[in-house]
Amino acid sequence: MAAAKAASAQAQKLRAELERHNHQYYVLDQPLISDAEYDRLFRELQQLESAHPELASPDSPTRRVGGAPLPQFEPFRHRTPMLSLSNAFTEDELAAFDKRVSEGLKTSQVEYLAEPKFDGLAISLTYVRGLFTQGATRGDGYTGEDVTPNLRTIKSIPLRLKAAAVPALIEVRGEVLMYRRDFDRMNQRQRENGEKEFVNPRNAAAGSLRQLDSRITAKRPLRFFAYAIGAIDGAAAPATHAELENWLEALGLPVCAERRVVLGAQGLMQYYRAMGARRAELPYEIDGVVYKVNSLAGQERLGFVARAPRFAIAHKFPAEEAMTEVLAIEVQVGRTGALTPVARLKPVFVGGVTVTNATLHNLDQVRAKDVRAGDTVIVRRAGDVIPEVVRVLPEKRSPAALAFQMPGKCPECGSKVERLESEAVYRCTGGLFCPAQRKQALLHFASRRAMDIEGLGEKLVEQLVDAGMVHTPADLYDRSRLNAARLAALERMAEKSAANVIAAIDSSKQAPLARFIFALGIYHVGEEVAKILARHFGSLDRLLAADWDGLIAEKERVQKENARRRNKDETLLTPVLHGVGPEIIQSIANFLRQPHNRDVIRQLRASGAVDETRVRPSAKSGGTLEGKTFVLTGTLPNLSREQAKELIEAQGGKVSGSVSAKTDYVVAGAEAGSKLARAQELGIAVLDEAGLQQLLKES
Ligand code: 9MJ
């Protein structure tokens, strides 16, 4: 008994001491003991806790080493939204901000709290009665990811708040980042261990915080700075933002020492210039400064616009620019076949990374900037955006430099390159064959509205293509290439799931013609157009043999004739392929002209993927909810999720698992979470169970 009491007292003493040294080292930057001494105390506590498991405590420093990996991050709904800041890039924009604020507050000179804008990741920490209980990323501002085990490993985050009186609940907001010197050391270690180096401190911090295995996070030198609060309960917030940050500091949280109270636009500019000058000597990277109205009552009065506070702004430093040389202009083929000219650059260090290429976006941009191979150019890189060529220095151009030309054939597969009249983008027309488009083509082919092959998702497609097992959709049906045994040998695949995928591929056979045409992924050919084509041609042979130029000419003739008839109030002609415009026809013609694509289509037909006697798609079609996508979330009062799904599908609707711009309705029940928030954000119609029933009845 006495021994247990002594152990408990000793554990408490060690914890307090270790956390004090953490604070000295990571928050105050004033270590009082050597690393070896710290380690000794730490081991003593570890031994004590393992000898007396009943002493375990969530705020013990031994809990900072990370734990078993999580299967996934759970969503975390912020009690008050975590909004982002609006940006100002120029002095004028800044003056406009100060003017808006001083008019809003009816004062001639506004007091602001100014501080650096950290280039890290915004997070929220929840403390309940002083104990750190949960931490989350910003996410979309309303719902983030619960990364508590990872945040626990960050030594500058107190596991328990200091002061005698702590709020019942407080959400502390701030930034997780990596010091430059820690980043360099970590990369040196990565190099020595033959592991991949990180690009910059921001990416390293982001990658470390999003680890499912918190033991890995524990090895990464992350830091934290607090700069705001969210919900607070059981304590009054002070009167000003400066006092708020002082209070956070008194609670044991790290707060940036560079914060200052300044007056008016002039004070802001002075602070901006001073921080700009000191930027390089700070231990962390910043991409600007942040100003907040100092009075919290003033903040409240100004409130929010859209998704950002009106009382604060981020004044960004200009994006870094550097001069270098264009070694060549190459063309990249994207996953969807779009051709992007890319400048290969002589390596140059800019915006925190070594840049070796810059996007030129499209041919119009190349022409507008007149970038040529061999040119000396200014490149720019800001934040995480792709580096770009700002301008050419014409005085440095060699007279031999040739203007850039888009290739007529795809550099990846040799198919013809097309540019449709209304678009700036050139595209490869070899969709079914082109290596650059392989994964996308397969994913689309297998997708629910196309061949509907369950289990053939992004990960598996990736594996199949990377392993060289599948090149085109036709390979899916070739059992000498793809069979259950070969599938089961892939990582994360078991015999059962492999057999299921093969069965799903087999049962996708005999698709109606319209679905099959849609599955080919011809640019501009959606489900509707595919149906029209299937109805019009009635067979693959007729589709493949069509006289497309004749069709375009015919459509143009009818268009002209109808314009004439409209003027005279005469009956109009019904155009062939009504609903399919000339540009779509052009796109189909280009696709079907590629011998590679025709080969794949023939192979698909030979393997029985399509049943040409079935022209129209799915038996369920024709319902009035056809084409509508629903997402179900939360618990409905009377219907199970399966029942709701069945009802929707019976009317031809689809039920999907995630909310996107393509979602038509979100059906939300009790305890609906991030999907509901996402729907509200996207302005998607939200129904409760009664609303769903009504809709079903109407249809
Ligand atoms: C950054 N990123 O450094 C805020 N921020 O305050 C600072 N962000 C912020 N403050 C309220 N220093 C919302 C965002």
Side-chain angles (χ1 to χ4, degrees), residues 213-224:
D213 186 343
S214 53
R215 288 169 299 200
I216 297 177
T217 314
K219 295 195 183 106
R220 305 276 170 81
L222 295 171
R223 307 256 180 169
F224 172 73

Side-chain angles (χ1 to χ4, degrees), residues 82-85 115-120 122 173-175 226-228 241 245 287-292 309 311-312:
M82 247 183 117
L83 301 176
S84 45
L85 298 173
E115 62 191 344
K117 181 170 191 303
F118 304 111
D119 202 4
R173 268 93 194 256
E175 203 92 349
Y227 49 64
H241 205 96
E245 294 199 9
D287 57 350
V289 295
V290 176
Y291 315 126
K292 301 164 188 174
F311 56 80

